[in-house]
Amino acid sequence: EPEVTQTPSHQVTQMGQEVILRCVPISNHLYFYWYRQILGQKVEFLVSFYNNEISEKSEIFDDQFSVERPDGSNFTLKIRSTKLEDSAMYFCASSVLLANTGELFFGEGSRLTVL
Amino acid sequence: DQQVKQNSPSLSVQEGRISILNCDYTNSMFDYFLWYKKYPAEGPTFLISISSIKDKNEDGRFTVFLNKSAKHLSLHIVPSQPGDSAVYFCAYISYNTDKLIFGTGTRLQVFP
């Protein structure tokens, strides 16, 4: 069964360092997303991406964050200068057409620990 | 803006009995409500959805009820099984947006 894959599963970094989290969405999906979950809190929307551009972003997704689909298969989230409060589980997701089905397919997540 | 609340952070149910998970919302402008299940160290997985024009949707052991007048959504699992033990999130998609917004989650534990 097709699935969304994410790498790395866990990354530890020093505050101020750049981090890139990678995702391979399901191949026929058109919409791509990043969500995050801080420990013990709810899953929060960060950004959605369609047709090679950001379609929507939350207030969490500030100038320190960027997304890219560099090669037609990978979908990356970059955090330029990490802060302690960026420590969270980051989930990539993809869908065929969210408004049509309401269903997102999530990866298993990348745990980011900022020291 | 839409608020989605799951007022029970946890629920404990005996195997074989019914589990009822609840969700309240504030804004009537939505396309779909959905339930997702999440195991530790895994991403959320889709369970069941209901569109704004329906009041019930059933899929096997899982039934979602939508009470639009009360702005209340519930998920019934019957019979509950130990493998159902997970965190359950209600979520919605509203008109003209491209995102899924999650509630705070309810941890369900099904014991033998």
Side-chain angles (χ1 to χ4, degrees), chain A residues 22-65:
Chain A
R22 291 182 169 79
C23 169
V24 179
I26 295 173
S27 60
N28 65 332
H29 285 185
L30 303 174
Y31 294 80
F32 313 111
Y33 305 82
W34 284 100
Y35 283 78
R36 79 172 185 189
Q37 186 181 29
I38 295 171
L39 188 65
Q41 298 185 24
K42 65 178 180 179
V43 178
E44 299 176 292
F45 169 79
L46 290 179
V47 65
S48 58
F49 191 86
Y50 170 70
N51 201 25
N52 284 319
E53 61 183 29
I54 291 173
S55 50
E56 202 162 347
K57 61 183 180 179
S58 73
E59 55 191 32
I60 301 168
F61 194 88
D62 61 21
D63 292 343
Q64 293 301 310
F65 291 87

mmCIF file of all heavy atoms in Angstrom, chain A residues 22-65:
data_model
loop_
_atom_site.group_PDB
_atom_site.id
_atom_site.type_symbol
_atom_site.label_atom_id
_atom_site.label_comp_id
_atom_site.label_asym_id
_atom_site.label_seq_id
_atom_site.Cartn_x
_atom_site.Cartn_y
_atom_site.Cartn_z
ATOM 1 N N ARG A 22 12.774 15.823 5.442
ATOM 2 C CA ARG A 22 12.424 15.361 4.097
ATOM 3 C C ARG A 22 11.225 14.420 4.106
ATOM 4 O O ARG A 22 11.011 13.661 5.050
ATOM 5 C CB ARG A 22 13.626 14.674 3.454
ATOM 6 C CG ARG A 22 14.746 15.642 3.136
ATOM 7 C CD ARG A 22 15.927 14.970 2.455
ATOM 8 N NE ARG A 22 16.864 15.953 1.926
ATOM 9 C CZ ARG A 22 17.766 16.606 2.653
ATOM 10 N NH1 ARG A 22 17.862 16.373 3.939
ATOM 11 N NH2 ARG A 22 18.572 17.489 2.098
ATOM 12 N N CYS A 23 10.503 14.462 3.018
ATOM 13 C CA CYS A 23 9.274 13.673 2.898
ATOM 14 C C CYS A 23 9.146 13.225 1.452
ATOM 15 O O CYS A 23 9.481 13.973 0.520
ATOM 16 C CB CYS A 23 8.086 14.549 3.291
ATOM 17 S SG CYS A 23 6.460 13.891 2.915
ATOM 18 N N VAL A 24 8.677 11.992 1.284
ATOM 19 C CA VAL A 24 8.294 11.536 -0.049
ATOM 20 C C VAL A 24 6.795 11.255 0.004
ATOM 21 O O VAL A 24 6.365 10.276 0.606
ATOM 22 C CB VAL A 24 9.062 10.278 -0.478
ATOM 23 C CG1 VAL A 24 8.601 9.837 -1.880
ATOM 24 C CG2 VAL A 24 10.556 10.540 -0.487
ATOM 25 N N PRO A 25 5.987 12.120 -0.585
ATOM 26 C CA PRO A 25 4.529 11.905 -0.555
ATOM 27 C C PRO A 25 4.122 10.729 -1.443
ATOM 28 O O PRO A 25 4.929 10.202 -2.208
ATOM 29 C CB PRO A 25 3.972 13.227 -1.113
ATOM 30 C CG PRO A 25 5.105 14.197 -1.063
ATOM 31 C CD PRO A 25 6.348 13.394 -1.211
ATOM 32 N N ILE A 26 2.883 10.350 -1.364
ATOM 33 C CA ILE A 26 2.340 9.308 -2.235
ATOM 34 C C ILE A 26 2.334 9.844 -3.664
ATOM 35 O O ILE A 26 1.947 10.997 -3.903
ATOM 36 C CB ILE A 26 0.941 8.886 -1.765
ATOM 37 C CG1 ILE A 26 1.068 8.228 -0.391
ATOM 38 C CG2 ILE A 26 0.278 7.935 -2.756
ATOM 39 C CD1 ILE A 26 -0.246 7.907 0.288
ATOM 40 N N SER A 27 2.723 9.002 -4.602
ATOM 41 C CA SER A 27 3.137 9.485 -5.926
ATOM 42 C C SER A 27 2.035 10.187 -6.721
ATOM 43 O O SER A 27 2.315 11.107 -7.463
ATOM 44 C CB SER A 27 3.709 8.330 -6.756
ATOM 45 O OG SER A 27 2.728 7.331 -6.932
ATOM 46 N N ASN A 28 0.795 9.801 -6.611
ATOM 47 C CA ASN A 28 -0.241 10.447 -7.419
ATOM 48 C C ASN A 28 -0.965 11.566 -6.660
ATOM 49 O O ASN A 28 -1.969 12.097 -7.141
ATOM 50 C CB ASN A 28 -1.249 9.416 -7.933
ATOM 51 C CG ASN A 28 -2.031 8.772 -6.806
ATOM 52 O OD1 ASN A 28 -1.534 8.678 -5.684
ATOM 53 N ND2 ASN A 28 -3.235 8.322 -7.092
ATOM 54 N N HIS A 29 -0.453 11.911 -5.499
ATOM 55 C CA HIS A 29 -1.094 12.978 -4.739
ATOM 56 C C HIS A 29 -0.620 14.333 -5.233
ATOM 57 O O HIS A 29 0.497 14.483 -5.743
ATOM 58 C CB HIS A 29 -0.794 12.808 -3.248
ATOM 59 C CG HIS A 29 -1.584 11.709 -2.626
ATOM 60 N ND1 HIS A 29 -1.553 11.445 -1.286
ATOM 61 C CD2 HIS A 29 -2.450 10.800 -3.165
ATOM 62 C CE1 HIS A 29 -2.357 10.440 -1.011
ATOM 63 N NE2 HIS A 29 -2.909 10.024 -2.143
ATOM 64 N N LEU A 30 -1.475 15.337 -5.039
ATOM 65 C CA LEU A 30 -1.203 16.663 -5.575
ATOM 66 C C LEU A 30 -1.016 17.716 -4.492
ATOM 67 O O LEU A 30 -0.490 18.792 -4.765
ATOM 68 C CB LEU A 30 -2.359 17.093 -6.482
ATOM 69 C CG LEU A 30 -2.679 16.156 -7.648
ATOM 70 C CD1 LEU A 30 -3.928 16.635 -8.376
ATOM 71 C CD2 LEU A 30 -1.499 16.070 -8.625
ATOM 72 N N TYR A 31 -1.495 17.404 -3.287
ATOM 73 C CA TYR A 31 -1.468 18.379 -2.208
ATOM 74 C C TYR A 31 -0.556 17.870 -1.109
ATOM 75 O O TYR A 31 -0.638 16.708 -0.722
ATOM 76 C CB TYR A 31 -2.888 18.605 -1.651
ATOM 77 C CG TYR A 31 -3.820 19.240 -2.638
ATOM 78 C CD1 TYR A 31 -4.414 18.481 -3.624
ATOM 79 C CD2 TYR A 31 -4.103 20.593 -2.582
ATOM 80 C CE1 TYR A 31 -5.267 19.058 -4.555
ATOM 81 C CE2 TYR A 31 -4.955 21.188 -3.499
ATOM 82 C CZ TYR A 31 -5.530 20.410 -4.486
ATOM 83 O OH TYR A 31 -6.370 20.986 -5.400
ATOM 84 N N PHE A 32 0.268 18.748 -0.597
ATOM 85 C CA PHE A 32 1.276 18.342 0.375
ATOM 86 C C PHE A 32 1.218 19.284 1.566
ATOM 87 O O PHE A 32 0.941 20.477 1.413
ATOM 88 C CB PHE A 32 2.665 18.361 -0.270
ATOM 89 C CG PHE A 32 2.705 17.690 -1.604
ATOM 90 C CD1 PHE A 32 2.893 18.425 -2.762
ATOM 91 C CD2 PHE A 32 2.500 16.325 -1.716
ATOM 92 C CE1 PHE A 32 2.897 17.814 -4.004
ATOM 93 C CE2 PHE A 32 2.495 15.701 -2.954
ATOM 94 C CZ PHE A 32 2.693 16.450 -4.093
ATOM 95 N N TYR A 33 1.507 18.725 2.734
ATOM 96 C CA TYR A 33 1.316 19.457 3.979
ATOM 97 C C TYR A 33 2.438 19.143 4.971
ATOM 98 O O TYR A 33 3.012 18.051 4.947
ATOM 99 C CB TYR A 33 -0.003 19.045 4.650
ATOM 100 C CG TYR A 33 -1.217 19.188 3.770
ATOM 101 C CD1 TYR A 33 -1.539 18.197 2.842
ATOM 102 C CD2 TYR A 33 -2.038 20.315 3.857
ATOM 103 C CE1 TYR A 33 -2.644 18.336 2.014
ATOM 104 C CE2 TYR A 33 -3.144 20.449 3.042
ATOM 105 C CZ TYR A 33 -3.437 19.453 2.122
ATOM 106 O OH TYR A 33 -4.537 19.589 1.308
ATOM 107 N N TRP A 34 2.672 20.096 5.844
ATOM 108 C CA TRP A 34 3.457 19.848 7.043
ATOM 109 C C TRP A 34 2.615 20.224 8.259
ATOM 110 O O TRP A 34 1.972 21.284 8.274
ATOM 111 C CB TRP A 34 4.762 20.636 7.052
ATOM 112 C CG TRP A 34 5.812 20.069 6.162
ATOM 113 C CD1 TRP A 34 6.154 20.496 4.916
ATOM 114 C CD2 TRP A 34 6.674 18.958 6.450
ATOM 115 N NE1 TRP A 34 7.161 19.718 4.397
ATOM 116 C CE2 TRP A 34 7.503 18.768 5.324
ATOM 117 C CE3 TRP A 34 6.835 18.099 7.547
ATOM 118 C CZ2 TRP A 34 8.475 17.761 5.264
ATOM 119 C CZ3 TRP A 34 7.795 17.107 7.490
ATOM 120 C CH2 TRP A 34 8.602 16.936 6.358
ATOM 121 N N TYR A 35 2.623 19.338 9.229
ATOM 122 C CA TYR A 35 1.994 19.552 10.527
ATOM 123 C C TYR A 35 3.044 19.299 11.589
ATOM 124 O O TYR A 35 4.061 18.642 11.333
ATOM 125 C CB TYR A 35 0.829 18.568 10.738
ATOM 126 C CG TYR A 35 -0.437 18.911 9.995
ATOM 127 C CD1 TYR A 35 -0.547 18.643 8.635
ATOM 128 C CD2 TYR A 35 -1.508 19.482 10.649
ATOM 129 C CE1 TYR A 35 -1.706 18.961 7.948
ATOM 130 C CE2 TYR A 35 -2.682 19.809 9.971
ATOM 131 C CZ TYR A 35 -2.767 19.539 8.628
ATOM 132 O OH TYR A 35 -3.922 19.848 7.949
ATOM 133 N N ARG A 36 2.786 19.799 12.785
ATOM 134 C CA ARG A 36 3.683 19.452 13.882
ATOM 135 C C ARG A 36 2.877 19.200 15.147
ATOM 136 O O ARG A 36 1.750 19.672 15.304
ATOM 137 C CB ARG A 36 4.734 20.528 14.114
ATOM 138 C CG ARG A 36 4.237 21.725 14.883
ATOM 139 C CD ARG A 36 5.343 22.669 15.243
ATOM 140 N NE ARG A 36 4.835 23.753 16.090
ATOM 141 C CZ ARG A 36 5.527 24.814 16.415
ATOM 142 N NH1 ARG A 36 6.767 24.976 15.964
ATOM 143 N NH2 ARG A 36 5.007 25.735 17.199
ATOM 144 N N GLN A 37 3.492 18.436 16.038
ATOM 145 C CA GLN A 37 2.879 18.165 17.331
ATOM 146 C C GLN A 37 3.939 18.331 18.404
ATOM 147 O O GLN A 37 4.868 17.513 18.495
ATOM 148 C CB GLN A 37 2.269 16.761 17.384
ATOM 149 C CG GLN A 37 1.500 16.500 18.668
ATOM 150 C CD GLN A 37 0.925 15.110 18.746
ATOM 151 O OE1 GLN A 37 1.468 14.160 18.183
ATOM 152 N NE2 GLN A 37 -0.183 14.961 19.454
ATOM 153 N N ILE A 38 3.800 19.377 19.187
ATOM 154 C CA ILE A 38 4.650 19.529 20.376
ATOM 155 C C ILE A 38 4.161 18.513 21.406
ATOM 156 O O ILE A 38 2.959 18.240 21.507
ATOM 157 C CB ILE A 38 4.573 20.976 20.909
ATOM 158 C CG1 ILE A 38 5.175 21.928 19.858
ATOM 159 C CG2 ILE A 38 5.284 21.115 22.239
ATOM 160 C CD1 ILE A 38 4.967 23.385 20.161
ATOM 161 N N LEU A 39 5.088 17.976 22.144
ATOM 162 C CA LEU A 39 4.777 16.890 23.076
ATOM 163 C C LEU A 39 3.575 17.227 23.952
ATOM 164 O O LEU A 39 3.561 18.246 24.628
ATOM 165 C CB LEU A 39 6.003 16.596 23.937
ATOM 166 C CG LEU A 39 5.917 15.366 24.843
ATOM 167 C CD1 LEU A 39 5.812 14.107 24.005
ATOM 168 C CD2 LEU A 39 7.129 15.290 25.766
ATOM 169 N N GLY A 40 2.577 16.326 23.902
ATOM 170 C CA GLY A 40 1.406 16.492 24.757
ATOM 171 C C GLY A 40 0.366 17.458 24.250
ATOM 172 O O GLY A 40 -0.652 17.670 24.907
ATOM 173 N N GLN A 41 0.630 18.051 23.074
ATOM 174 C CA GLN A 41 -0.313 19.029 22.541
ATOM 175 C C GLN A 41 -0.967 18.500 21.274
ATOM 176 O O GLN A 41 -0.731 17.375 20.865
ATOM 177 C CB GLN A 41 0.401 20.358 22.286
ATOM 178 C CG GLN A 41 0.981 20.979 23.553
ATOM 179 C CD GLN A 41 1.580 22.349 23.309
ATOM 180 O OE1 GLN A 41 1.217 23.040 22.368
ATOM 181 N NE2 GLN A 41 2.496 22.748 24.177
ATOM 182 N N LYS A 42 -1.819 19.317 20.683
ATOM 183 C CA LYS A 42 -2.540 18.847 19.510
ATOM 184 C C LYS A 42 -1.684 18.951 18.256
ATOM 185 O O LYS A 42 -0.638 19.598 18.245
ATOM 186 C CB LYS A 42 -3.839 19.616 19.330
ATOM 187 C CG LYS A 42 -3.678 21.089 19.016
ATOM 188 C CD LYS A 42 -5.048 21.711 18.816
ATOM 189 C CE LYS A 42 -4.950 23.182 18.506
ATOM 190 N NZ LYS A 42 -6.297 23.773 18.298
ATOM 191 N N VAL A 43 -2.134 18.287 17.229
ATOM 192 C CA VAL A 43 -1.474 18.341 15.926
ATOM 193 C C VAL A 43 -1.844 19.676 15.265
ATOM 194 O O VAL A 43 -3.023 19.985 15.095
ATOM 195 C CB VAL A 43 -1.917 17.156 15.050
ATOM 196 C CG1 VAL A 43 -1.269 17.227 13.690
ATOM 197 C CG2 VAL A 43 -1.593 15.832 15.729
ATOM 198 N N GLU A 44 -0.812 20.452 14.893
ATOM 199 C CA GLU A 44 -1.042 21.809 14.380
ATOM 200 C C GLU A 44 -0.654 21.918 12.912
ATOM 201 O O GLU A 44 0.416 21.463 12.500
ATOM 202 C CB GLU A 44 -0.178 22.813 15.155
ATOM 203 C CG GLU A 44 -0.445 22.902 16.631
ATOM 204 C CD GLU A 44 0.542 23.854 17.295
ATOM 205 O OE1 GLU A 44 1.749 23.513 17.358
ATOM 206 O OE2 GLU A 44 0.126 24.925 17.738
ATOM 207 N N PHE A 45 -1.488 22.578 12.145
ATOM 208 C CA PHE A 45 -1.206 22.842 10.741
ATOM 209 C C PHE A 45 -0.072 23.868 10.613
ATOM 210 O O PHE A 45 -0.053 24.875 11.313
ATOM 211 C CB PHE A 45 -2.472 23.380 10.073
ATOM 212 C CG PHE A 45 -2.283 23.938 8.701
ATOM 213 C CD1 PHE A 45 -2.175 23.104 7.599
ATOM 214 C CD2 PHE A 45 -2.207 25.302 8.503
ATOM 215 C CE1 PHE A 45 -2.005 23.616 6.326
ATOM 216 C CE2 PHE A 45 -2.041 25.839 7.235
ATOM 217 C CZ PHE A 45 -1.938 24.981 6.142
ATOM 218 N N LEU A 46 0.866 23.585 9.717
ATOM 219 C CA LEU A 46 1.923 24.542 9.412
ATOM 220 C C LEU A 46 1.715 25.160 8.034
ATOM 221 O O LEU A 46 1.650 26.381 7.892
ATOM 222 C CB LEU A 46 3.292 23.864 9.441
ATOM 223 C CG LEU A 46 3.821 23.417 10.805
ATOM 224 C CD1 LEU A 46 5.168 22.736 10.639
ATOM 225 C CD2 LEU A 46 3.935 24.585 11.760
ATOM 226 N N VAL A 47 1.635 24.300 7.007
ATOM 227 C CA VAL A 47 1.632 24.822 5.644
ATOM 228 C C VAL A 47 1.045 23.792 4.693
ATOM 229 O O VAL A 47 1.146 22.589 4.919
ATOM 230 C CB VAL A 47 3.088 25.185 5.235
ATOM 231 C CG1 VAL A 47 3.968 23.944 5.174
ATOM 232 C CG2 VAL A 47 3.150 25.952 3.926
ATOM 233 N N SER A 48 0.411 24.298 3.634
ATOM 234 C CA SER A 48 -0.040 23.432 2.551
ATOM 235 C C SER A 48 0.602 23.905 1.248
ATOM 236 O O SER A 48 0.914 25.095 1.091
ATOM 237 C CB SER A 48 -1.564 23.428 2.435
ATOM 238 O OG SER A 48 -2.055 24.736 2.229
ATOM 239 N N PHE A 49 0.756 22.987 0.320
ATOM 240 C CA PHE A 49 1.551 23.242 -0.885
ATOM 241 C C PHE A 49 0.884 22.563 -2.046
ATOM 242 O O PHE A 49 0.566 21.368 -1.987
ATOM 243 C CB PHE A 49 2.954 22.656 -0.646
ATOM 244 C CG PHE A 49 4.001 23.041 -1.646
ATOM 245 C CD1 PHE A 49 4.725 24.208 -1.490
ATOM 246 C CD2 PHE A 49 4.303 22.215 -2.715
ATOM 247 C CE1 PHE A 49 5.728 24.558 -2.393
ATOM 248 C CE2 PHE A 49 5.295 22.547 -3.612
ATOM 249 C CZ PHE A 49 6.022 23.722 -3.447
ATOM 250 N N TYR A 50 0.655 23.320 -3.105
ATOM 251 C CA TYR A 50 -0.001 22.770 -4.290
ATOM 252 C C TYR A 50 0.533 23.473 -5.521
ATOM 253 O O TYR A 50 0.739 24.694 -5.509
ATOM 254 C CB TYR A 50 -1.528 22.947 -4.194
ATOM 255 C CG TYR A 50 -2.271 22.631 -5.466
ATOM 256 C CD1 TYR A 50 -2.369 21.315 -5.902
ATOM 257 C CD2 TYR A 50 -2.841 23.636 -6.236
ATOM 258 C CE1 TYR A 50 -3.042 21.019 -7.085
ATOM 259 C CE2 TYR A 50 -3.511 23.338 -7.412
ATOM 260 C CZ TYR A 50 -3.614 22.029 -7.828
ATOM 261 O OH TYR A 50 -4.273 21.726 -8.996
ATOM 262 N N ASN A 51 0.779 22.719 -6.556
ATOM 263 C CA ASN A 51 1.210 23.297 -7.825
ATOM 264 C C ASN A 51 2.475 24.143 -7.638
ATOM 265 O O ASN A 51 2.595 25.238 -8.190
ATOM 266 C CB ASN A 51 0.077 24.131 -8.431
ATOM 267 C CG ASN A 51 0.247 24.340 -9.924
ATOM 268 O OD1 ASN A 51 0.897 23.547 -10.612
ATOM 269 N ND2 ASN A 51 -0.310 25.415 -10.424
ATOM 270 N N ASN A 52 3.376 23.612 -6.846
ATOM 271 C CA ASN A 52 4.692 24.220 -6.616
ATOM 272 C C ASN A 52 4.660 25.563 -5.904
ATOM 273 O O ASN A 52 5.594 26.360 -6.046
ATOM 274 C CB ASN A 52 5.475 24.358 -7.931
ATOM 275 C CG ASN A 52 6.045 23.036 -8.377
ATOM 276 O OD1 ASN A 52 6.548 22.262 -7.562
ATOM 277 N ND2 ASN A 52 5.964 22.763 -9.661
ATOM 278 N N GLU A 53 3.611 25.792 -5.159
ATOM 279 C CA GLU A 53 3.612 26.990 -4.337
ATOM 280 C C GLU A 53 2.790 26.774 -3.072
ATOM 281 O O GLU A 53 1.938 25.887 -3.011
ATOM 282 C CB GLU A 53 3.093 28.197 -5.122
ATOM 283 C CG GLU A 53 1.671 28.078 -5.626
ATOM 284 C CD GLU A 53 1.288 29.302 -6.446
ATOM 285 O OE1 GLU A 53 2.160 29.935 -7.063
ATOM 286 O OE2 GLU A 53 0.091 29.621 -6.463
ATOM 287 N N ILE A 54 3.079 27.595 -2.077
ATOM 288 C CA ILE A 54 2.334 27.537 -0.834
ATOM 289 C C ILE A 54 0.911 28.005 -1.083
ATOM 290 O O ILE A 54 0.680 29.064 -1.671
ATOM 291 C CB ILE A 54 3.015 28.413 0.243
ATOM 292 C CG1 ILE A 54 4.341 27.796 0.669
ATOM 293 C CG2 ILE A 54 2.095 28.586 1.450
ATOM 294 C CD1 ILE A 54 5.157 28.668 1.608
ATOM 295 N N SER A 55 -0.072 27.184 -0.669
ATOM 296 C CA SER A 55 -1.464 27.589 -0.832
ATOM 297 C C SER A 55 -2.030 28.190 0.447
ATOM 298 O O SER A 55 -2.927 29.038 0.399
ATOM 299 C CB SER A 55 -2.329 26.423 -1.314
ATOM 300 O OG SER A 55 -2.131 25.290 -0.518
ATOM 301 N N GLU A 56 -1.502 27.749 1.572
ATOM 302 C CA GLU A 56 -1.968 28.288 2.845
ATOM 303 C C GLU A 56 -0.891 28.050 3.906
ATOM 304 O O GLU A 56 -0.169 27.043 3.831
ATOM 305 C CB GLU A 56 -3.269 27.598 3.260
ATOM 306 C CG GLU A 56 -4.115 28.372 4.229
ATOM 307 C CD GLU A 56 -5.554 27.870 4.268
ATOM 308 O OE1 GLU A 56 -5.979 27.093 3.384
ATOM 309 O OE2 GLU A 56 -6.262 28.269 5.200
ATOM 310 N N LYS A 57 -0.781 28.951 4.853
ATOM 311 C CA LYS A 57 0.167 28.734 5.941
ATOM 312 C C LYS A 57 -0.393 29.307 7.226
ATOM 313 O O LYS A 57 -1.228 30.212 7.216
ATOM 314 C CB LYS A 57 1.531 29.358 5.619
ATOM 315 C CG LYS A 57 1.502 30.856 5.422
ATOM 316 C CD LYS A 57 2.889 31.373 5.043
ATOM 317 C CE LYS A 57 2.864 32.886 4.852
ATOM 318 N NZ LYS A 57 4.204 33.420 4.499
ATOM 319 N N SER A 58 0.059 28.767 8.335
ATOM 320 C CA SER A 58 -0.402 29.229 9.630
ATOM 321 C C SER A 58 0.535 30.319 10.143
ATOM 322 O O SER A 58 1.612 30.563 9.583
ATOM 323 C CB SER A 58 -0.448 28.072 10.623
ATOM 324 O OG SER A 58 0.857 27.703 11.016
ATOM 325 N N GLU A 59 0.141 30.914 11.261
ATOM 326 C CA GLU A 59 0.980 31.958 11.847
ATOM 327 C C GLU A 59 2.266 31.382 12.450
ATOM 328 O O GLU A 59 3.219 32.098 12.686
ATOM 329 C CB GLU A 59 0.199 32.744 12.901
ATOM 330 C CG GLU A 59 -0.398 31.895 13.992
ATOM 331 C CD GLU A 59 -1.372 32.677 14.858
ATOM 332 O OE1 GLU A 59 -2.041 33.588 14.360
ATOM 333 O OE2 GLU A 59 -1.466 32.358 16.061
ATOM 334 N N ILE A 60 2.271 30.072 12.679
ATOM 335 C CA ILE A 60 3.502 29.421 13.157
ATOM 336 C C ILE A 60 4.562 29.459 12.063
ATOM 337 O O ILE A 60 5.756 29.589 12.330
ATOM 338 C CB ILE A 60 3.221 27.948 13.525
ATOM 339 C CG1 ILE A 60 2.147 27.851 14.598
ATOM 340 C CG2 ILE A 60 4.496 27.248 13.970
ATOM 341 C CD1 ILE A 60 1.634 26.446 14.787
ATOM 342 N N PHE A 61 4.137 29.360 10.834
ATOM 343 C CA PHE A 61 5.041 29.247 9.683
ATOM 344 C C PHE A 61 5.564 30.631 9.340
ATOM 345 O O PHE A 61 5.092 31.301 8.412
ATOM 346 C CB PHE A 61 4.283 28.623 8.502
ATOM 347 C CG PHE A 61 5.163 28.153 7.381
ATOM 348 C CD1 PHE A 61 5.695 26.873 7.389
ATOM 349 C CD2 PHE A 61 5.454 28.977 6.302
ATOM 350 C CE1 PHE A 61 6.493 26.420 6.347
ATOM 351 C CE2 PHE A 61 6.250 28.547 5.256
ATOM 352 C CZ PHE A 61 6.764 27.265 5.279
ATOM 353 N N ASP A 62 6.566 31.071 10.108
ATOM 354 C CA ASP A 62 7.112 32.410 9.882
ATOM 355 C C ASP A 62 8.300 32.343 8.927
ATOM 356 O O ASP A 62 8.532 31.326 8.269
ATOM 357 C CB ASP A 62 7.479 33.047 11.221
ATOM 358 C CG ASP A 62 8.544 32.266 11.973
ATOM 359 O OD1 ASP A 62 9.290 31.479 11.355
ATOM 360 O OD2 ASP A 62 8.637 32.442 13.204
ATOM 361 N N ASP A 63 9.065 33.420 8.885
ATOM 362 C CA ASP A 63 10.162 33.520 7.917
ATOM 363 C C ASP A 63 11.275 32.501 8.164
ATOM 364 O O ASP A 63 12.149 32.327 7.308
ATOM 365 C CB ASP A 63 10.756 34.929 7.939
ATOM 366 C CG ASP A 63 9.781 35.957 7.401
ATOM 367 O OD1 ASP A 63 8.804 35.550 6.736
ATOM 368 O OD2 ASP A 63 9.987 37.167 7.646
ATOM 369 N N GLN A 64 11.280 31.882 9.311
ATOM 370 C CA GLN A 64 12.296 30.871 9.591
ATOM 371 C C GLN A 64 12.000 29.548 8.887
ATOM 372 O O GLN A 64 12.868 28.693 8.794
ATOM 373 C CB GLN A 64 12.402 30.620 11.101
ATOM 374 C CG GLN A 64 12.939 31.789 11.891
ATOM 375 C CD GLN A 64 14.330 32.174 11.421
ATOM 376 O OE1 GLN A 64 15.217 31.330 11.295
ATOM 377 N NE2 GLN A 64 14.537 33.450 11.147
ATOM 378 N N PHE A 65 10.777 29.391 8.426
ATOM 379 C CA PHE A 65 10.357 28.154 7.792
ATOM 380 C C PHE A 65 10.261 28.335 6.274
ATOM 381 O O PHE A 65 9.878 29.410 5.786
ATOM 382 C CB PHE A 65 8.980 27.718 8.304
ATOM 383 C CG PHE A 65 8.949 27.277 9.734
ATOM 384 C CD1 PHE A 65 8.776 28.187 10.757
ATOM 385 C CD2 PHE A 65 9.084 25.931 10.060
ATOM 386 C CE1 PHE A 65 8.741 27.780 12.080
ATOM 387 C CE2 PHE A 65 9.044 25.512 11.381
ATOM 388 C CZ PHE A 65 8.872 26.438 12.398
#
